[in-house]
Amino acid sequence: MSQKIRIVPAIDIIDGKCVRLEQGDYGRKKVYNENPLEVAKSFEHHGIQFLHLVDLDGAKAGQVLNWKVLEKLTTKTGLTIDFGGGIKRDEDVKIAFESGATQINVGSLAAKNKDLFLSWLAKEGAEKVILSADAKDRFIAVQGWLDATELDVLSYISTYLADGIRYVTCTDISRDGMLSGPSFELYQEILENNDKIFLTASGGVSQFGDIEKLQEAGLPAVIVGKAIYEGRISLETISQFYQ
């Protein structure tokens, strides 16, 4: 068996609270905890080292808004946090890193303003910038997943690989928050065509077997959200996985 897959719990923020959406729909929101720090500390207590933090308010508004949550989590836990949602300007990049993010996730901006995105990649380095290739029916979606584009996800990732990107997170929007299982075929296809990227799968994980199957497929990392909050995957199980 290849190296163990990195399991990265997700915290999505609206109004400072820990929530989950279904298929990126802001109208299908469920609040799981009003204290994201409490959730993050629980992850850390179980030996988890990484966290995927998303500013959903920022994603909708087009600028980082919940940076104080990021700052609180980075100063009061030892988690390595990648942060996304609303990173559209130089100032948003600065805010994210000054608030303690180890990496930033950039989605909409990368699809709409390649030159600016590449300038961040050049300035910050490939280890600190993640391309969020969020797809619906294999086409890239932007603006908090509210708008579809005509960009094919495979060619989109390949183009950015040629430009020096190393980290890619791919979310199948149709499966996100649905507990319907990940898009195994899509991720395998991406890896077969882009073997030099660190690909994180996101969306649809419903049981621990999904994580094991992604590991067998060669995925280096997976983001898990709703399955944890709904009790389908326990933090104890994740903790034992690393022992």
Side-chain angles (χ1 to χ4, degrees), residues 9-22:
I11 292 179
D12 293 354
I13 302 296
I14 291 181
D15 296 330
K17 300 172 184 177
C18 179
V19 307
R20 297 302 292 172
L21 306 182
E22 291 184 358

PDB file of all heavy atoms in Angstrom, residues 9-22:
ATOM      1  N   PRO A   9      -9.924  17.512   7.593  1.00  0.00           N
ATOM      2  CA  PRO A   9     -11.283  17.947   7.909  1.00  0.00           C
ATOM      3  C   PRO A   9     -11.534  19.372   7.414  1.00  0.00           C
ATOM      4  O   PRO A   9     -10.597  20.188   7.317  1.00  0.00           O
ATOM      5  CB  PRO A   9     -11.331  17.898   9.442  1.00  0.00           C
ATOM      6  CG  PRO A   9     -10.204  17.024   9.840  1.00  0.00           C
ATOM      7  CD  PRO A   9      -9.148  17.247   8.812  1.00  0.00           C
ATOM      8  N   ALA A  10     -12.795  19.650   7.122  1.00  0.00           N
ATOM      9  CA  ALA A  10     -13.169  20.979   6.627  1.00  0.00           C
ATOM     10  C   ALA A  10     -14.021  21.710   7.646  1.00  0.00           C
ATOM     11  O   ALA A  10     -14.869  21.121   8.316  1.00  0.00           O
ATOM     12  CB  ALA A  10     -13.935  20.842   5.314  1.00  0.00           C
ATOM     13  N   ILE A  11     -13.772  23.003   7.752  1.00  0.00           N
ATOM     14  CA  ILE A  11     -14.665  23.899   8.483  1.00  0.00           C
ATOM     15  C   ILE A  11     -15.088  24.996   7.503  1.00  0.00           C
ATOM     16  O   ILE A  11     -14.238  25.717   6.980  1.00  0.00           O
ATOM     17  CB  ILE A  11     -13.995  24.518   9.721  1.00  0.00           C
ATOM     18  CG1 ILE A  11     -13.727  23.453  10.785  1.00  0.00           C
ATOM     19  CG2 ILE A  11     -14.864  25.630  10.300  1.00  0.00           C
ATOM     20  CD1 ILE A  11     -13.039  23.985  12.046  1.00  0.00           C
ATOM     21  N   ASP A  12     -16.394  25.083   7.253  1.00  0.00           N
ATOM     22  CA  ASP A  12     -16.941  26.127   6.394  1.00  0.00           C
ATOM     23  C   ASP A  12     -17.608  27.165   7.281  1.00  0.00           C
ATOM     24  O   ASP A  12     -18.388  26.819   8.180  1.00  0.00           O
ATOM     25  CB  ASP A  12     -17.962  25.547   5.410  1.00  0.00           C
ATOM     26  CG  ASP A  12     -17.326  24.602   4.385  1.00  0.00           C
ATOM     27  OD1 ASP A  12     -16.090  24.495   4.380  1.00  0.00           O
ATOM     28  OD2 ASP A  12     -18.078  23.992   3.609  1.00  0.00           O
ATOM     29  N   ILE A  13     -17.345  28.442   6.995  1.00  0.00           N
ATOM     30  CA  ILE A  13     -17.795  29.523   7.871  1.00  0.00           C
ATOM     31  C   ILE A  13     -18.826  30.428   7.198  1.00  0.00           C
ATOM     32  O   ILE A  13     -18.596  30.939   6.103  1.00  0.00           O
ATOM     33  CB  ILE A  13     -16.598  30.388   8.325  1.00  0.00           C
ATOM     34  CG1 ILE A  13     -15.543  29.537   9.051  1.00  0.00           C
ATOM     35  CG2 ILE A  13     -17.061  31.544   9.209  1.00  0.00           C
ATOM     36  CD1 ILE A  13     -16.019  28.924  10.334  1.00  0.00           C
ATOM     37  N   ILE A  14     -19.958  30.600   7.871  1.00  0.00           N
ATOM     38  CA  ILE A  14     -20.929  31.645   7.539  1.00  0.00           C
ATOM     39  C   ILE A  14     -21.292  32.342   8.853  1.00  0.00           C
ATOM     40  O   ILE A  14     -21.611  31.682   9.844  1.00  0.00           O
ATOM     41  CB  ILE A  14     -22.200  31.077   6.874  1.00  0.00           C
ATOM     42  CG1 ILE A  14     -21.874  30.557   5.459  1.00  0.00           C
ATOM     43  CG2 ILE A  14     -23.296  32.147   6.800  1.00  0.00           C
ATOM     44  CD1 ILE A  14     -23.084  29.989   4.720  1.00  0.00           C
ATOM     45  N   ASP A  15     -21.203  33.677   8.844  1.00  0.00           N
ATOM     46  CA  ASP A  15     -21.502  34.465  10.055  1.00  0.00           C
ATOM     47  C   ASP A  15     -20.705  33.986  11.266  1.00  0.00           C
ATOM     48  O   ASP A  15     -21.205  33.980  12.392  1.00  0.00           O
ATOM     49  CB  ASP A  15     -22.996  34.410  10.390  1.00  0.00           C
ATOM     50  CG  ASP A  15     -23.861  35.055   9.312  1.00  0.00           C
ATOM     51  OD1 ASP A  15     -23.376  35.985   8.647  1.00  0.00           O
ATOM     52  OD2 ASP A  15     -25.011  34.602   9.130  1.00  0.00           O
ATOM     53  N   GLY A  16     -19.475  33.542  11.022  1.00  0.00           N
ATOM     54  CA  GLY A  16     -18.607  33.108  12.108  1.00  0.00           C
ATOM     55  C   GLY A  16     -18.918  31.731  12.650  1.00  0.00           C
ATOM     56  O   GLY A  16     -18.278  31.275  13.601  1.00  0.00           O
ATOM     57  N   LYS A  17     -19.902  31.041  12.049  1.00  0.00           N
ATOM     58  CA  LYS A  17     -20.330  29.731  12.545  1.00  0.00           C
ATOM     59  C   LYS A  17     -19.884  28.614  11.605  1.00  0.00           C
ATOM     60  O   LYS A  17     -19.694  28.827  10.407  1.00  0.00           O
ATOM     61  CB  LYS A  17     -21.860  29.701  12.688  1.00  0.00           C
ATOM     62  CG  LYS A  17     -22.400  30.750  13.644  1.00  0.00           C
ATOM     63  CD  LYS A  17     -23.919  30.808  13.589  1.00  0.00           C
ATOM     64  CE  LYS A  17     -24.460  31.936  14.468  1.00  0.00           C
ATOM     65  NZ  LYS A  17     -25.933  32.054  14.359  1.00  0.00           N
ATOM     66  N   CYS A  18     -19.749  27.434  12.173  1.00  0.00           N
ATOM     67  CA  CYS A  18     -19.351  26.247  11.423  1.00  0.00           C
ATOM     68  C   CYS A  18     -20.592  25.632  10.764  1.00  0.00           C
ATOM     69  O   CYS A  18     -21.502  25.181  11.457  1.00  0.00           O
ATOM     70  CB  CYS A  18     -18.690  25.256  12.372  1.00  0.00           C
ATOM     71  SG  CYS A  18     -18.172  23.734  11.596  1.00  0.00           S
ATOM     72  N   VAL A  19     -20.618  25.631   9.416  1.00  0.00           N
ATOM     73  CA  VAL A  19     -21.797  25.162   8.687  1.00  0.00           C
ATOM     74  C   VAL A  19     -21.391  24.173   7.599  1.00  0.00           C
ATOM     75  O   VAL A  19     -20.212  23.984   7.313  1.00  0.00           O
ATOM     76  CB  VAL A  19     -22.545  26.351   8.020  1.00  0.00           C
ATOM     77  CG1 VAL A  19     -22.850  27.434   9.040  1.00  0.00           C
ATOM     78  CG2 VAL A  19     -21.746  26.927   6.849  1.00  0.00           C
ATOM     79  N   ARG A  20     -22.397  23.538   6.984  1.00  0.00           N
ATOM     80  CA  ARG A  20     -22.196  22.776   5.750  1.00  0.00           C
ATOM     81  C   ARG A  20     -23.330  23.130   4.802  1.00  0.00           C
ATOM     82  O   ARG A  20     -24.470  23.357   5.230  1.00  0.00           O
ATOM     83  CB  ARG A  20     -22.204  21.255   5.991  1.00  0.00           C
ATOM     84  CG  ARG A  20     -21.100  20.740   6.867  1.00  0.00           C
ATOM     85  CD  ARG A  20     -19.725  21.040   6.361  1.00  0.00           C
ATOM     86  NE  ARG A  20     -19.415  20.318   5.130  1.00  0.00           N
ATOM     87  CZ  ARG A  20     -18.323  20.537   4.403  1.00  0.00           C
ATOM     88  NH1 ARG A  20     -17.470  21.472   4.769  1.00  0.00           N
ATOM     89  NH2 ARG A  20     -18.083  19.834   3.319  1.00  0.00           N
ATOM     90  N   LEU A  21     -22.992  23.187   3.530  1.00  0.00           N
ATOM     91  CA  LEU A  21     -23.998  23.387   2.483  1.00  0.00           C
ATOM     92  C   LEU A  21     -24.191  22.071   1.734  1.00  0.00           C
ATOM     93  O   LEU A  21     -23.381  21.161   1.838  1.00  0.00           O
ATOM     94  CB  LEU A  21     -23.553  24.463   1.488  1.00  0.00           C
ATOM     95  CG  LEU A  21     -23.161  25.834   2.038  1.00  0.00           C
ATOM     96  CD1 LEU A  21     -22.796  26.763   0.872  1.00  0.00           C
ATOM     97  CD2 LEU A  21     -24.263  26.444   2.867  1.00  0.00           C
ATOM     98  N   GLU A  22     -25.248  21.993   0.954  1.00  0.00           N
ATOM     99  CA  GLU A  22     -25.435  20.869   0.036  1.00  0.00           C
ATOM    100  C   GLU A  22     -25.258  21.383  -1.389  1.00  0.00           C
ATOM    101  O   GLU A  22     -25.943  22.318  -1.807  1.00  0.00           O
ATOM    102  CB  GLU A  22     -26.831  20.247   0.205  1.00  0.00           C
ATOM    103  CG  GLU A  22     -27.010  19.527   1.538  1.00  0.00           C
ATOM    104  CD  GLU A  22     -28.361  18.839   1.657  1.00  0.00           C
ATOM    105  OE1 GLU A  22     -29.165  18.953   0.715  1.00  0.00           O
ATOM    106  OE2 GLU A  22     -28.601  18.194   2.688  1.00  0.00           O
TER     107      GLU A  22
END
